[in-house]
């Protein structure tokens, strides 16, 4: 019985690190920027961060993203663009291959800049939260705040416009470019956030 208690205590101590797949884009310390926001929006504690997809390993084409990420809720997308800017988004809405814009009336979807340690929220309930399409990877916002077409590793297929999210009158997009540009991505990852 004592042994069981020791085992239980060890499991509790080790829980922090055991259940989190590593990101090549987000540093361990940067979880403190994103995770409290996800937990507040979802009103649940995070148990696990499970890597579903990484463009440089699984292939940057949209079909590879959809094969690994479709129909899975609560995903965290992390992107590193040329210029080494790091940003991403979270949505509870499961990705699909249908060509549709989707609103998030509960406003749980958000985007963020890891470099600036800032989170940006939907402007209102009527704003488009995500775009689903079989020719695109994950896309946030109407125009797109984060938009991945084709293979963004091989071609300039990454958009970072100001669209559905409130940047508090800032002049720059998530990639820190003032004018809408198509960029290359150095990599992007998708994780499923699993709650207790």
């Amino acid at each position: 019985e004592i042994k069981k208690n020791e085992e239980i205590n060890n499991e509790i101590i080790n829980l922090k690190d055991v259940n989190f797949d590593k990101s090549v884009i987000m540093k361990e310390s940067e979880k403190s920027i994103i995770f409290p926001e996800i937990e507040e929006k979802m009103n649940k504690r995070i148990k696990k961060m499970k890597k579903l997809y990484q463009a440089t390993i699984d292939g940057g084409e949209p079909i590879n993203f959809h094969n690994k990420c479709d129909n899975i809720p609560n995903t965290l997308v992390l992107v590193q663009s040329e210029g080494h800017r790091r940003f991403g988004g979270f949505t509870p809405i499961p990705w699909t291959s249908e060509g549709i814009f989707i609103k998030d009336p509960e406003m749980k979807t958000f985007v963020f800049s890891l470099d600036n340690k800032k989170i940006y929220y939907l402007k209102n309930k009527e704003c488009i939260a995500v775009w689903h399409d079989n020719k695109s990877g994950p896309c946030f916002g109407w125009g797109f705040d984060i938009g991945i077409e084709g293979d963004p590793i091989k071609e300039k297929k990454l958009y970072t416009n100001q669209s559905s999210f409130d940047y508090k009158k800032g002049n720059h997009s998530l990639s820190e470019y003032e004018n809408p540009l198509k960029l290359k991505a150095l990599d992007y990852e998708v994780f499923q956030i699993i709650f207790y």
Side-chain angles (χ1 to χ4, degrees):
E1 193 173 306
I2 292 170
K3 191 174 183 184
K4 284 183 183 176
N5 286 339
E6 283 176 8
E7 285 172 9
I8 290 166
N9 288 337
N10 286 338
E11 284 175 15
I12 291 167
I13 291 164
N14 294 327
L15 254 180
K16 292 177 190 170
D17 300 319
V18 170
N19 291 326
F20 293 91
D21 288 348
K22 299 285 184 201
S23 167
V24 296
I25 296 170
M26 180 173 67
K27 299 172 189 162
E28 286 293 307
S29 61
E30 291 170 326
K31 288 177 184 172
S32 64
I33 301 166
I34 308 306
F35 284 14
E37 193 64 35
I38 294 171
E39 290 181 336
E40 185 179 320
K41 292 275 186 199
M42 301 304 292
N43 198 25
K44 296 176 185 174
R45 280 189 50 236
I46 295 172
K47 179 180 182 182
K48 185 175 181 178
M49 184 171 102
K50 178 183 175 188
K51 187 180 278 193
L52 302 174
Y53 170 83
Q54 184 177 339
T56 54
I57 291 174
D58 298 312
E61 292 295 329
I63 191 169
N64 299 319
F65 159 75
H66 287 290
N67 284 342
K68 295 198 171 258
C69 301
D70 275 6
N71 305 310
I72 297 172
N74 306 318
T75 52
L76 177 68
V77 176
L78 300 169
V79 182
Q80 185 166 24
S81 71
E82 58 185 339
H84 296 276
R85 303 308 295 178
R86 297 170 311 121
F87 49 89
F90 169 80
T91 186
I93 301 165
W95 299 102
T96 71
S97 297
E98 302 171 43
I100 52 171
F101 287 105
I102 301 174
K103 296 176 185 175
D104 181 356
E106 295 182 359
M107 296 182 63
K108 293 181 178 181
T109 300
F110 63 88
V111 296
F112 54 86
S113 165
L114 288 173
D115 299 309
N116 295 333
K117 298 177 174 51
K118 289 189 179 173
I119 293 172
Y120 306 98
Y121 306 100
L122 285 164
K123 292 175 185 172
N124 58 58
K125 293 178 182 184
E126 294 304 309
C127 285
I128 300 299
V130 291
W131 159 248
H132 293 181
D133 189 72
N134 65 351
K135 295 182 184 82
S136 299
C139 297
F140 290 82
W142 172 261
F144 298 104
D145 296 82
I146 301 172
I148 296 175
E149 282 189 339
D151 186 341
I153 309 294
K154 293 180 181 171
E155 303 175 72
K156 289 183 180 264
K157 297 281 188 173
L158 169 63
Y159 294 89
T160 59
N161 301 326
Q162 288 193 13
S163 168
S164 295
F165 296 85
D166 188 356
Y167 297 91
K168 308 290 184 203
K169 299 187 177 155
N171 292 328
H172 297 350
S173 66
L174 289 170
S175 65
E176 291 297 304
Y177 289 99
E178 191 166 342
N179 299 316
L181 290 171
K182 286 186 183 179
L183 306 167
K184 276 190 174 181
L186 300 181
D187 208 349
Y188 82 92
E189 305 171 296
V190 182
F191 293 86
Q192 181 183 18
I193 302 297
I194 298 166
F195 300 97
Y196 282 100

